[in-house]
Amino acid sequence: MRAALDLARQAALAGEVPVGAVVVKDGVIIGRGSNAPISKHDPSAHAEILALRDAAQHLGNYRLVGCDLFVTLEPCVMCVGAMFHARIARVVFGATDPKTGAAGSVFNLFAETRLNHHARIHGGVLAEECGRVLSDFFAARRAAQKAQ
């Protein structure tokens, strides 16, 4: 999760919502991503999606069987769908997302029995630190808007 937090901080420095993600296989990071929808002009450029793409390139396979994904913010519906298609084994997230979270906050796709793949889910890892990175980012944006 610390590596994902570093990526989230990098995203903040780039003016992106600070979310970072890593994909791990056998204890080694094989995929990294930080939010980049603004800079890439791509609504799908969430940290999780970019980390999945990086890991798939690393393995030479879109199936990431036996891999875990660590992300600083509870994933959204789009990202959970991509994780399921990639066959991620376990998802570990930091802060909850009460507006778009799909791991229990708004939806819980991980508990949806009608889906053909399921991953283990573990939330709240370094939640305070992950949440602080987000809240500090948005506080700075609000302060900058007021100063204008």
Side-chain angles (χ1 to χ4, degrees), residues 53-77:
R53 288 176 182 161
D54 191 31
Q57 289 299 308
H58 177 85
L59 293 179
N61 192 336
Y62 77 105
R63 296 285 197 211
L64 303 176
V65 176
C67 293
D68 298 330
L69 188 142
F70 293 78
V71 61
T72 57
L73 181 65
E74 180 182 358
C76 71
V77 170

Side-chain angles (χ1 to χ4, degrees), residues 69-107:
L69 188 142
F70 293 78
V71 61
T72 57
L73 181 65
E74 180 182 358
C76 71
V77 170
M78 174 183 68
C79 292
V80 172
M83 292 171 202
F84 286 0
H85 283 289
R87 301 301 192 256
I88 289 290
R90 180 175 66 131
V91 177
V92 179
F93 69 88
T96 57
D97 186 347
K99 294 185 179 182
T100 64
S105 290
V106 177
F107 301 103

Side-chain angles (χ1 to χ4, degrees), residues 94-137:
T96 57
D97 186 347
K99 294 185 179 182
T100 64
S105 290
V106 177
F107 301 103
N108 189 351
L109 293 179
F110 293 91
E112 179 53 62
T113 59
R114 294 174 291 179
L115 296 173
N116 69 330
H117 177 74
H118 293 90
R120 295 185 321 277
I121 184 78
H122 184 77
V125 174
L126 299 178
E128 186 176 317
E129 190 171 350
C130 292
R132 189 175 326 107
V133 170
L134 286 157
S135 59
D136 289 352
F137 173 80

Side-chain angles (χ1 to χ4, degrees), residues 1-58:
M1 188 62 79
R2 294 267 177 224
L5 271 163
D6 289 342
L7 290 164
R9 290 183 184 100
Q10 290 174 24
L13 291 173
E16 301 278 357
V17 173
V19 178
V22 295
V23 176
V24 175
K25 183 167 180 72
D26 300 324
V28 176
I29 295 174
I30 62 164
R32 291 175 170 79
S34 57
N35 258 9
I38 297 167
S39 61
K40 291 187 179 288
H41 311 290
D42 179 355
S44 70
H46 287 197
E48 301 95 311
I49 301 293
L50 298 177
L52 291 170
R53 288 176 182 161
D54 191 31
Q57 289 299 308
H58 177 85

